[in-house]
Amino acid sequence: MSFSDNHGLGSRILGIDPGLQITGYGVIEGSSSGPKVCEAGVIRTNDDTEASDLAQRIRSLHEGVLEVIDQFHPQAVAVEQLYAHYEHPRTAILMGHARGVIFLAAALRDLPVVSYNATRIKKSITGNGRASKDQVQRTIQRELGLANLPEPSDVADALAVALCHYYQLKMPKAIAE
């Protein structure tokens, strides 16, 4: 059975909220009782003066993403799309570097990568494309049966993008029934 044929059951999805200093990640697995969290956390790049240059941050992020992939063996990677605000083009460029490193890590492990924009993620998770961060965190907590709100928000965002992809995989099954 291929990844796309099992509608998310038994499959692992790595969700990533990209950043050059803090990258949130969340690994979820589909089961007959719904999605379950395997692991969630952050990848922090070194903040000391020696490692603060862009090349070292990118290397650190790349190594961190590969470590998560190699430990949890996801079948797909879901990444939040880049949102570029015209008043902050430098931020968009830097985030592009982070996304490129994540895509490279996935490609090196032959994993498919899907991207979702923030509005689509929020709509699929909460039903409201303009949901607040708090609403997203509370919905993630409820949907994944977590005892506490996922913290920091980078982790909640990573779990949200993974859950969004999980729901996209399940959609064909719901339509067929």
Side-chain angles (χ1 to χ4, degrees), residues 6 20 24 27 34-35 41-43 62 66 88-89 97 105-106 109 118 124 136 145 148 162 164 167-168 175:
N6 67 10
L20 279 177
V27 180
V42 294
I43 299 166
H62 182 257
L66 282 176
H88 305 285
H97 292 313
R109 298 300 187 260
S124 100
V136 170
N148 300 308
C164 175
Y167 290 152
Q168 296 306 306
I175 291 169

Side-chain angles (χ1 to χ4, degrees), residues 9-10 127 135:
L9 295 178
Q135 187 178 358

Side-chain angles (χ1 to χ4, degrees), residues 20 43 45 53-66 101:
L20 279 177
I43 299 166
T45 58
D53 74 51
L54 182 59
Q56 291 303 317
R57 285 187 184 278
I58 287 173
R59 179 181 179 175
S60 181
L61 176 57
H62 182 257
E63 290 170 352
V65 171
L66 282 176
V101 166

